[in-house]
Amino acid sequence: MRKLLLLTTVLLVGLVFIGRLFYLQVYGGYDYDVYEDNAIRKVYNYPKRGYVYDRNGKLLVANQPSYDVMVIPREVKPMDSLEINEFCQLLKITREDYDKKLERATNYSPRLSSPFVSQLSKSDYAVLQEKMRKYEGFYIQKRSLRSYQTTIGANVLGDIGEVNRGIISKQPYYRLGDLIGKQGIEQTYEKTLRGVKGIKFIQKDRFNKDIEPFKEGKLDTLPVPGKDITITIDAKLQAYGELLMTNKRGGIIAIEPSSGEILAMISGPSYNPNLLVGRDRSKNFSKLYNDSIAKPLFDRGLQAMYPPGSPFKTLNALVALQEGVVTEDERFSCSLGYRYGNRKMGCHAHRSPVNMNTGVSQSCNAYFANVYRRIIDKYDSPAEGMDNWNKHIKSFGLGNYLNNDLSVGQPGKVPSAETYDRGYGKNRWYTTFTISNAIGQGEVLATPIQLANMAAAIGNRGYYYTPHIIKNIEGEIIPLKFTTPKRTTIDNEHFEPVVQGMFDVYNKGTAEMLRVKGIDICGKTGTAENFAIIDSVKTQLTDHSIFVAFAPKDNPKIAIAVFVENGYFGSRFAGRMASLMIEYYIRGEITRKDMESFVLRYSLEHEYQKPFSGEPFGINRQTSLEAISEEEYQKLMRLKAEIPKL
């Protein structure tokens, strides 16, 4: 019995070994991964990143050669202090940097290559390449860096930077040292622009020396270049808008209403995109990022949520007509404002009573308070009226991200019944609690791109295309969502009275002094209250200057929204800037030199310092004008003279 048990045990063990060997020989080969084989060195060949052009074919972003010093830690030959110091001098780093970089590379992987010093210049590479043979374990890898052929559009173009471990863990395509789009179109269209890396597999011997291509190079792949793209931005208009925003903070968005293509996307203050290229990228990015006052990396055109102010009145007029609660000829009285209970919503002096045309052109608060109350009170409860109003407003693209192709954004805010239920309790609030919505204050918030899209929808008499920045991708078709119109909830016939009112803003209203001869512009001025917490106290600062417009009146070519922080009333800065940009886009030149001179000569930087300096904000929060020097002004005019060369 014992002999039989021993024989059985031997046979079973033998069968297990045979089975395991059979599995490893026949099936185990499928698990072989050349990328995990330590005896194979992987050499990546990086593709050309796609170029970026503006809508008129102007090259905005190209490439330039760059060189990375790579390291394989376990292959690094021990060096004495003199050798290390010499190597550090060649790389322009300190001994401390050397130790930290080598430790980081070792922690990543002793056997895999990783970047040691990135983005050497041509001159540094030329000096270093002759001596690299002395430093075993180090080698130079060539790749491309971005070369921005312009100084404008930093927020539009974005930049590229090294991937971190978080990105690598989510996207296995990347490895330590790879570059990826970080902002702007570089981020949005990363997969299109980057192409696909090529790779060579090289067999190593037992001494870790390269001997020959693995499997005669059959597994090697060539790089696939990134695709060139054309964006919708007009470089000249973008440059002119950035010039107008000098010494100011705010956002400007210009859209082509017939397509939804973004013509200009300005955020002020801006910066030169070339600052985020090369070995100084990290230092420059930190400087921009840590500027918590001016916030140059904060895209105000897409991310800043402001009270929309009086331009929002145009939507309330359209909703009122759609709901049938008012006619365009019906009049309301205005005695320097609108009284409700023991409170009053103030208004500036103008003739009374007021119909819709005058309400829009003169921006009458009392008129729109009456109109808004009728919209909400039409229904059995304020909650039902509010939700119906919310539906109409959101149909213009407010209160959501617009589903565009931009790398950042904010949804804004359009209040609903739930908003007030949370604040006051269900069925415990009334229309007058929300009356500020009538004039674009209160709980309503919008971004400049949302208001530009709103203007485009009004100019189109009831529809808009999703705002987007891509015009053409080499060999591809633009997504259908950018070419399919979206209709608002307002019938076409209700737009003409509002459009005429916006036209009369220029003819006899609050923007009469901003007229541009020969161009029929429809616009709406706005002044929005501005608050900040200073020393734990909510303080009212100088109002924001707002303006929306489209032109020409029929079949508009451009719609625009301008926000100028602390700019006071709408026609002071925002209105001038909008009119100038419209004329520049349509005519290619400026006839209103007086408006241009005003915008360029006066700075608002002193206004932005007041919360920190303690200087008072002036009577009724009115912006005090402060002119720049003649030398600074002439410099701006020289920059303007360069724009046609773009």
Side-chain angles (χ1 to χ4, degrees):
M1 188 68 180
R2 291 181 179 176
K3 289 183 179 180
L4 183 61
L5 180 61
L6 180 62
L7 179 62
T8 303
T9 302
V10 171
L11 287 173
L12 286 174
V13 171
L15 287 172
V16 169
F17 274 102
I18 291 170
R20 180 60 180 166
L21 288 171
F22 177 79
Y23 175 81
L24 291 173
Q25 297 253 349
V26 177
Y27 296 102
Y30 290 106
D31 292 330
Y32 173 74
D33 188 348
V34 66
Y35 288 90
E36 298 296 326
D37 192 334
N38 294 341
I40 308 298
R41 186 160 76 92
K42 296 87 184 171
V43 179
Y44 289 92
N45 191 354
Y46 288 87
K48 175 187 83 70
R49 196 169 176 90
Y51 284 11
V52 180
Y53 299 86
D54 90 328
R55 67 187 297 110
N56 299 311
K58 162 69 178 176
L59 178 62
L60 299 176
V61 188
N63 298 311
Q64 59 180 310
S66 175
Y67 307 89
D68 294 347
V69 176
M70 308 294 291
V71 63
I72 304 174
R74 76 175 186 178
E75 296 180 13
V76 174
K77 174 187 173 183
M79 296 185 285
D80 59 34
S81 295
L82 288 176
E83 290 175 312
I84 294 177
N85 289 337
E86 180 190 33
F87 192 45
C88 289
Q89 288 177 2
L90 290 170
L91 296 177
K92 297 181 179 178
I93 62 174
T94 64
R95 173 62 187 269
E96 184 181 3
D97 290 336
Y98 174 90
D99 293 335
K100 287 182 179 178
K101 291 175 182 293
L102 189 58
E103 181 182 6
R104 186 185 70 169
T106 304
N107 290 337
Y108 170 67
S109 174
R111 58 184 176 80
L112 297 177
S113 65
S114 60
F116 188 74
V117 173
S118 300
Q119 303 177 9
L120 295 180
S121 64
K122 283 183 181 180
S123 57
D124 290 340
Y125 166 71
V127 174
L128 186 61
Q129 67 168 338
E130 299 177 359
K131 300 184 179 182
M132 280 302 293
R133 56 184 175 77
K134 295 170 56 178
Y135 308 108
E136 292 186 20
F138 296 92
Y139 68 95
I140 295 178
Q141 177 175 271
K142 183 179 179 181
R143 71 169 77 208
S144 291
L145 281 184
R146 282 317 220 181
S147 175
Y148 295 98
Q149 308 295 299
T150 181
T151 59
I152 63 166
N155 64 312
V156 177
L157 303 174
D159 65 289
I160 59 174
E162 287 191 18
V163 295
N164 55 38
R165 294 182 186 275
I167 294 173
I168 294 171
S169 66
K170 295 177 182 177
Q171 303 183 59
Y173 170 86
Y174 298 100
R175 55 196 295 273
L176 201 64
D178 281 0
L179 302 176
I180 189 172
K182 293 285 190 176
Q183 303 173 88
I185 57 172
E186 295 281 16
Q187 179 181 3
T188 304
Y189 289 98
E190 162 67 12
K191 290 184 179 179
T192 300
L193 291 166
R194 79 183 182 195
V196 180
K197 289 180 289 191
I199 188 170
K200 290 183 179 180
F201 300 99
I202 300 174
Q203 182 76 54
K204 297 189 288 186
D205 62 18
R206 62 192 181 93
F207 299 106
N208 215 32
K209 302 294 184 183
D210 294 347
I211 52 175
E212 62 184 4
F214 179 63
K215 290 191 176 181
E216 300 178 340
K218 292 179 181 178
L219 299 181
D220 295 353
T221 61
L222 293 173
V224 178
K227 294 181 178 180
D228 296 343
I229 66 173
T230 299
I231 61 175
T232 60
I233 294 294
D234 183 307
K236 294 180 181 179
L237 186 66
Q238 178 78 21
Y240 188 62
E242 290 188 12
L243 181 73
L244 295 177
M245 192 60 80
T246 304
N247 299 316
K248 302 166 190 68
R249 295 178 192 168
I252 304 174
I253 302 291
I255 294 174
E256 183 179 67
S258 62
S259 66
E261 294 179 355
I262 298 172
L263 302 171
M265 195 165 78
I266 291 112
S267 178
S270 187
Y271 58 93
N272 188 330
N274 290 289
L275 289 174
L276 300 184
V277 176
R279 293 179 68 177
D280 289 333
R281 180 190 185 279
S282 179
K283 178 182 70 177
N284 291 335
F285 180 84
S286 295
K287 185 177 179 181
L288 294 169
Y289 180 81
N290 291 324
D291 186 349
S292 59
I293 298 176
K295 299 180 180 178
L297 293 177
F298 180 64
D299 193 329
R300 286 169 165 85
L302 304 179
Q303 294 176 283
M305 297 192 296
Y306 303 97
S310 293
F312 191 75
K313 294 173 180 175
T314 58
L315 294 193
N316 279 323
L318 289 166
V319 174
L321 291 172
Q322 180 68 29
E323 289 294 312
V325 297
V326 71
T327 67
E328 61 179 288
D329 296 321
E330 189 171 357
R331 296 175 180 271
F332 297 95
S333 64
C334 176
S335 300
L336 297 179
Y338 175 77
R339 292 189 179 278
Y340 54 106
N342 60 354
R343 303 181 67 183
K344 181 178 180 180
M345 177 189 291
C347 189
H348 60 277
H350 56 74
R351 70 174 184 269
S352 178
V354 181
N355 63 9
M356 182 170 287
N357 182 279
T358 305
V360 173
S361 63
Q362 294 294 335
S363 199
C364 176
N365 288 346
Y367 176 86
F368 284 99
N370 279 288
V371 165
Y372 176 78
R373 289 197 65 172
R374 286 195 179 184
I375 294 171
I376 306 301
D377 293 341
K378 173 184 175 182
Y379 292 85
D380 294 337
S381 69
E384 186 181 354
M386 179 61 63
D387 283 341
N388 184 66
W389 175 84
N390 174 282
K391 176 194 69 174
H392 286 304
I393 300 301
K394 283 189 172 181
S395 75
F396 284 82
L398 276 70
N400 65 68
Y401 288 97
L402 292 171
N403 195 26
N404 54 45
D405 59 343
L406 305 169
S407 61
V408 294
Q410 288 290 343
K413 184 179 179 182
V414 178
S416 63
E418 184 183 359
T419 305
Y420 299 105
D421 286 345
R422 287 197 305 265
Y424 299 107
K426 196 166 186 177
N427 299 322
R428 299 187 66 181
W429 55 274
Y430 305 96
T431 305
T432 52
F433 287 41
T434 72
I435 197 70
S436 293
N437 293 331
I439 58 172
Q441 297 280 174
E443 286 67 47
V444 182
L445 295 173
T447 60
I449 192 170
Q450 289 172 331
L451 287 195
N453 185 65
M454 178 194 82
I458 296 173
N460 286 339
R461 278 62 167 181
Y463 68 91
Y464 67 89
Y465 293 90
T466 299
H468 56 280
I469 203 165
I470 192 67
K471 188 171 181 66
N472 180 58
I473 300 175
E474 183 182 354
E476 293 186 19
I477 298 174
I478 299 302
L480 192 62
K481 69 177 183 177
F482 297 143
T483 58
T484 304
K486 292 179 170 59
R487 295 213 61 86
T488 69
T489 56
I490 310 300
D491 295 335
N492 180 270
E493 71 246 29
H494 298 311
F495 282 88
E496 286 309 318
V498 175
V499 169
Q500 185 61 42
M502 295 177 70
F503 183 61
D504 286 337
V505 166
Y506 271 90
N507 288 328
K508 57 184 180 181
T510 54
E512 186 176 4
M513 66 176 184
L514 308 181
R515 280 185 294 181
V516 178
K517 188 176 181 180
I519 302 179
D520 292 336
I521 306 177
C522 299
K524 185 71 193 76
T525 54
T527 305
E529 292 182 333
N530 174 25
F531 295 89
I533 304 298
I534 302 176
D535 295 331
S536 302
V537 178
K538 184 179 181 181
T539 306
Q540 188 166 7
L541 312 183
T542 307
D543 296 336
H544 295 317
S545 176
I546 309 169
F547 201 85
V548 302
F550 59 86
K553 179 183 176 185
D554 299 314
N555 301 314
K557 297 179 180 178
I558 181 173
I560 192 168
V562 182
F563 275 76
V564 179
E565 295 180 7
N566 300 44
Y568 194 40
F569 55 85
S571 59
R572 172 170 277 193
F573 281 104
R576 285 181 167 96
M577 293 162 74
S579 296
L580 289 167
M581 288 192 68
I582 287 171
E583 182 179 23
Y584 195 83
Y585 182 69
I586 291 177
R587 285 187 174 147
E589 61 179 0
I590 295 298
T591 60
R592 288 297 306 269
K593 304 288 187 183
D594 57 323
M595 286 201 299
E596 181 181 72
S597 177
F598 180 94
V599 172
L600 294 180
R601 281 188 182 279
Y602 290 107
S603 168
L604 291 175
E605 290 296 340
H606 63 292
E607 282 289 331
Y608 307 133
Q609 294 302 317
K610 287 181 179 180
F612 309 99
S613 66
E615 184 182 346
F617 290 94
I619 301 173
N620 297 324
R621 306 178 311 280
Q622 179 173 341
T623 305
S624 55
L625 293 175
E626 186 170 289
I628 61 175
S629 68
E630 184 63 25
E631 182 181 357
E632 290 177 290
Y633 176 71
Q634 292 303 324
K635 181 180 177 181
L636 294 179
M637 294 306 291
R638 287 193 294 272
L639 289 174
K640 182 200 168 187
E642 294 295 317
I643 294 176
K645 299 176 184 177
L646 291 177

